[in-house]
Amino acid sequence: MTPPERRPRPLNLQLRSTLAGEAAAASAEVESALTPPLDPGAAAFFDVDNTVMQGASIFHLARGLHRRRFFTTREILGAAWKQAYFRVVGVEDPDHVADARSSALGFIAGHTVAELQSLGEEIFEEGMAHRIWPGTRALAQLHLDEGQRVWLVTAAPIEIAQIISRRLGLTGALGTVAEHVDGVYTGRLVGDLLHGPAKGEAVRALAVREGLDLRRCSAYSDSYNDLPMLSLVGDPCAINPDARLRHHAREQGWRIRDYRTGRKALRIGIAAGAVAGAATGTVAAGVALRGRRH
C-alpha cells in the first residue's frame, strides 16, 4: 500500500516575516539616488496609515478599485469583516491564519502589474493626495533637508507605496510584495504581509544593504503594532498614536506628535483604530476574493 502523501508544513510566522521583510527591502525604490546623500549613515522610516496619511491607504485603494468594478460591495464587506475579526480577536488557529494570509491579495489575481500601477496613480489623485498630514510631511522634509534618506514602510502593496513615495518626493518605499509571473499577479504573497515584525525585518535588511547606522535613524508610526520597527532605531517618534503606543512612548520618553484636534482626534482614534486599523493588516481592506476584470 502506498503511504499517504504528507502535506508540507507551513512556514512559521517568524520565517514568513523575515521573507516579507527581505522581499520588501529588495524591492525598495531609491528615487532620490542620483546624488549621494549628505548623511549616508542616517535615515528616517515612516509608517503610512494614520501617520503620513489620514485613514488607511489600503481602504482608499480598495474603494478606488471597487468603483472600477474589481469586486462587489458584498464581497468587500464580507472580506473586511473576516479580516477585522481575525485582527481584533487575535485567532491563532493555523488554518485561519493561513486562510487570512492567502486571501489578502486574491483580489488582484489575474491582473497585471502595469494595470495596478496605472490605476494606483489615478486613485492616489482622487482619494489620497488631499489626506496627507502636513505636519508629518514637514517632518519627512526636515530629514531630507539634513541630507538623510526617507523611506515609507507599509503593509500596502509595494506598487502603491512607491507611488505615494514618489508623489511626496521621498527616497523610496517598502511594502507588501505580491508574487507575479510574467507581469501577472498570482494572488499570493512573497513571505507575509509587511506588518508588525515584518516591518522590523524590512528595516533591518535595508539598513544592512544601505550601510545605515540604526542608532542614528528615526522611525515614525501611529500604531503599537509597529514597535518592532520603532524599537530598532535611536530616535522613535509616535505620530497620532493609538492609546497603547501613546502610553508606551511616554514611558520610554519618546517624542509624540499629534496632528489631530478635538473631536476629530477622538473620532479618528476610535474609528480608525478599530476599523481602518483592522484593515491595515490586510492588503486592500482584506479583499478576500478574486477581483473582477474590467
Side-chain angles (χ1 to χ4, degrees), residues 74-205:
R74 175 177 295 182
E75 289 171 347
I76 190 173
L77 288 177
W81 162 250
K82 176 180 178 181
Q83 298 292 339
Y85 179 86
F86 170 71
R87 289 287 310 283
V88 173
V89 177
V91 177
E92 295 183 358
D93 178 76
D95 291 334
H96 193 114
V97 173
D99 184 51
R101 181 184 300 115
S102 65
S103 70
L105 277 174
F107 81 107
I108 59 174
H111 292 279
T112 67
V113 175
E115 184 180 11
L116 183 61
Q117 290 173 333
S118 176
L119 292 178
E121 295 281 356
E122 296 177 11
I123 293 169
F124 177 85
E125 288 296 337
E126 71 183 27
M128 300 184 189
H130 63 285
R131 299 179 186 276
I132 302 298
W133 292 107
T136 308
R137 178 68 188 89
L139 286 174
Q141 188 61 49
L142 284 175
H143 286 282
L144 294 173
D145 291 345
E146 292 177 359
Q148 299 176 5
R149 289 169 287 180
V150 177
W151 277 279
L152 300 180
V153 187
T154 175
I158 184 65
E159 293 82 2
I160 302 304
Q162 290 170 345
I163 289 171
I164 298 172
S165 173
R166 286 197 300 271
R167 293 304 186 90
L168 297 183
L170 307 181
T171 306
L174 299 90
T176 296
V177 178
E179 179 186 82
H180 53 84
V181 177
D182 297 328
V184 178
Y185 291 109
T186 66
R188 294 186 293 270
L189 301 177
V190 177
D192 211 336
L193 296 163
L194 197 69
H195 174 73
K199 284 190 177 182
E201 296 291 346
V203 169
R204 186 180 287 108

Side-chain angles (χ1 to χ4, degrees), residues 187-272:
R188 294 186 293 270
L189 301 177
V190 177
D192 211 336
L193 296 163
L194 197 69
H195 174 73
K199 284 190 177 182
E201 296 291 346
V203 169
R204 186 180 287 108
L206 186 67
V208 171
R209 193 187 80 180
E210 298 295 326
L212 300 173
D213 180 354
L214 289 174
R215 293 169 299 180
R216 299 186 57 239
C217 291
S218 302
Y220 300 82
S221 177
D222 73 300
S223 175
Y224 185 83
N225 292 326
D226 284 342
L227 280 186
M229 176 178 73
L230 292 169
S231 300
L232 276 179
V233 301
D235 177 36
C237 180
I239 300 286
N240 305 327
D242 60 33
R244 293 177 69 192
L245 179 59
R246 183 183 295 274
H247 177 73
H248 184 84
R250 284 174 174 168
E251 283 191 333
Q252 299 298 317
W254 294 355
R255 288 183 296 143
I256 299 175
R257 299 288 184 273
D258 200 326
Y259 302 119
R260 303 164 298 181
T261 58
R263 293 182 180 179
K264 186 175 184 180
L266 178 61
R267 183 174 68 252
I268 293 174
I270 295 176

